[in-house]
Amino acid sequence: MQSIPYQYRLLILFLLMGLVVAVDYWRNPTKPTKLREYSFLIMSGLIGAGFGIVTALPAAMRYILKAETYERKGQEEKLYCIA
């Protein structure tokens, strides 16, 4: 499973979810429920991803600022963030 790139795994997940939503709508067109359930799952995932980005941001900023302070001091050993 690790050999398949993350983007493709995510695409497969969304395609399978879309297939289940289509089957649910086809079987019960008056009151389909899977669309609401999967929308909740996707929104929860997006909120979790946003939380992960926000919590990782301070560590990344500390790393970037640390690299800049090393460069400003003119030390021989420079720490670069991006190669």
Side-chain angles (χ1 to χ4, degrees):
M1 189 66 167
Q2 295 297 329
S3 63
I4 301 173
Y6 179 74
Q7 294 87 357
Y8 294 142
R9 287 186 274 167
L10 196 60
L11 179 67
I12 291 169
L13 172 68
F14 283 140
L15 287 175
L16 288 174
M17 288 171 72
L19 180 67
V20 171
V21 167
V23 169
D24 182 46
Y25 186 75
W26 179 67
R27 291 178 68 195
N28 192 7
T30 58
K31 194 174 179 185
T33 59
K34 295 295 181 188
L35 183 61
R36 281 187 289 146
E37 292 173 5
Y38 288 155
S39 297
F40 173 76
L41 286 175
I42 291 170
M43 290 305 294
S44 299
L46 290 175
I47 290 170
F51 181 74
I53 290 170
V54 167
T55 56
L57 192 60
M61 289 305 295
R62 278 196 305 270
Y63 181 74
I64 291 169
L65 293 175
K66 191 179 198 182
E68 288 177 0
T69 56
Y70 279 132
E71 288 178 5
R72 284 190 197 137
K73 288 181 182 178
Q75 296 178 355
E76 291 181 11
E77 296 181 30
K78 292 184 178 180
L79 178 65
Y80 290 103
C81 303
I82 302 171

